[in-house]
Amino acid sequence: VEEGALRGITYRRDGESHQVQCDQLVLAIGHSARDTYEMLHQAGLDMEQKPFSIGFRIEHPQGLIDKAQYGALAGHERLPRAEYHLSVKTSVGRGAYTFCMCPGGTVVPSSSEENKLCTNGMSAYLRDGANANSALLCDVRTEDFGSNHPLAGIAFQRRWEEAAYTLGGGGYRAPAQLVGDFLQGVPSTGMGSVVPTYRPGVNWGMVEEALPAFAAPVLKEAIGAFDRRLKGFALPDAVITAAETRSSAPLRILRQGDGQSAIKGIYPAGEGAGYAGGIMSAAVDGLKTAIKLVESL
């Protein structure tokens, strides 16, 4: 950087450093690029804290979801596997919602750092798995971070990912609990009728120990509210697997009206930059960023 403007980048490939002269860079990093966030903060890019969400994955039999959504037509060959999208504002003012719903899918590990555990979900093309899963999340506010540092949200995520790893017993096994036990506040000792899909496996117990204190009551209230809208959501044998911490970026890289950061020539874009909350919105922000870059030429 010279006189507040980008003059080049250094990157590493196969263990070797390479330098490229450039005066424009689209910075479309992911929201888990924590080492890059730290480097950019040290380089002088302005950042601010951003709210995000935390919770767990919840698994139901796909047949239950199909029946709840399609009724007597559930299982018809012309119908796709059923999905749901639910949200509620709870009695304490925090919102809760389902996110990244995966029909006929699996719960998967998505840890990006050693001895820290984070879950996610996916569906294969045919969506033909026995279970449906989604994230069930509640709001995390910037005042929950406990610090005014721009990277405090990352420290908050790491704290609960480390707790989940410990609660899982190591080896990237995930802490899990039956919904019925979660609602009653008692530990689970094994699975019921729903077989968890997470690999390398789960460790039964109390998932709320892998969540901040405010989260469990909000998520319990949300399960009850969603059960009234989607029959069977509170199925006692449904499985919850902690922790889901990567709903969106916990910070925003600030940019000006022309799409550039405080360092001229750098265009922060997408979910990792804090301007999107999913695949489609990240793609749209990428288009908007490209248009800004073209306009600058």
Side-chain angles (χ1 to χ4, degrees):
V1 176
E2 294 178 358
E3 298 179 355
L6 181 68
R7 290 292 178 262
I9 63 169
T10 301
Y11 68 94
R12 293 183 65 82
R13 177 185 291 170
D14 299 328
E16 296 184 0
S17 292
H18 304 267
Q19 292 187 341
V20 177
Q21 290 184 336
C22 65
D23 54 16
Q24 290 178 313
L25 172 70
V26 176
L27 190 65
I29 61 174
H31 66 33
S32 298
R34 293 170 174 173
D35 54 347
T36 309
Y37 282 139
E38 292 166 359
M39 179 274 291
L40 295 171
H41 181 258
Q42 294 172 5
L45 262 70
D46 291 337
M47 302 177 179
E48 65 180 8
Q49 298 180 349
K50 186 179 76 63
F52 66 105
S53 304
I54 196 169
F56 43 65
R57 305 300 297 192
I58 184 166
E59 288 190 271
H60 300 89
Q62 180 63 50
L64 180 149
I65 304 301
D66 291 345
K67 186 175 181 180
Q69 298 289 56
Y70 296 143
L73 291 175
H76 193 286
E77 62 180 12
R78 300 288 292 274
L79 290 173
R81 310 305 292 274
E83 303 181 37
Y84 58 79
H85 305 276
L86 303 165
S87 62
V88 66
K89 186 172 183 179
T90 63
S91 58
V92 295
R94 288 190 191 259
Y97 63 102
T98 62
F99 177 75
C100 183
M101 194 273 163
C102 303
T106 55
V107 179
V108 296
S110 59
S111 302
S112 57
E113 295 177 319
E114 289 189 21
N115 301 328
K116 294 176 179 60
L117 191 140
C118 176
T119 62
N120 205 329
M122 61 161 280
S123 296
Y125 177 77
L126 293 178
R127 297 183 167 188
D128 58 355
N131 292 356
N133 80 81
S134 75
L136 178 53
L137 308 172
C138 74
D139 296 346
V140 177
R141 302 165 180 171
T142 55
E143 53 263 36
D144 298 320
F145 295 171
S147 167
N148 292 324
H149 194 281
L151 303 182
I154 293 176
F156 184 91
Q157 289 176 322
R158 281 173 168 157
R159 174 185 174 186
W160 297 110
E161 290 170 14
E162 188 172 345
Y165 182 85
T166 301
L167 197 61
Y172 298 94
R173 295 173 64 88
Q177 191 174 11
L178 302 181
V179 164
D181 292 336
F182 176 68
L183 294 176
Q184 295 179 42
V186 298
S188 293
T189 57
M191 70 179 183
S193 59
V194 181
V195 179
T197 58
Y198 178 89
R199 297 292 179 268
V202 300
N203 190 28
W204 297 100
M206 297 272 289
V207 299
E208 60 188 85
E209 296 175 13
L211 299 169
F214 62 79
V218 170
L219 296 171
K220 289 177 182 180
E221 183 178 337
I223 290 173
F226 296 161
D227 188 65
R228 292 188 288 273
R229 290 154 60 184
L230 194 154
K231 187 176 180 180
F233 194 87
L235 178 74
D237 280 0
V239 176
I240 52 181
T241 312
E244 168 91 48
T245 61
R246 311 283 183 88
S247 60
S248 64
L251 59 84
R252 179 175 288 112
I253 302 173
L254 299 183
R255 61 190 185 191
Q256 303 164 28
D258 60 2
Q260 300 182 63
S261 72
I263 298 176
K264 184 176 176 58
I266 296 181
Y267 294 78
E271 191 164 351
Y275 293 95
I279 295 170
M280 294 302 295
S281 57
V284 171
D285 194 67
L287 285 169
K288 292 167 63 179
T289 299
I291 290 169
K292 294 288 187 183
L293 192 152
V294 170
E295 289 174 348
S296 75
L297 300 175

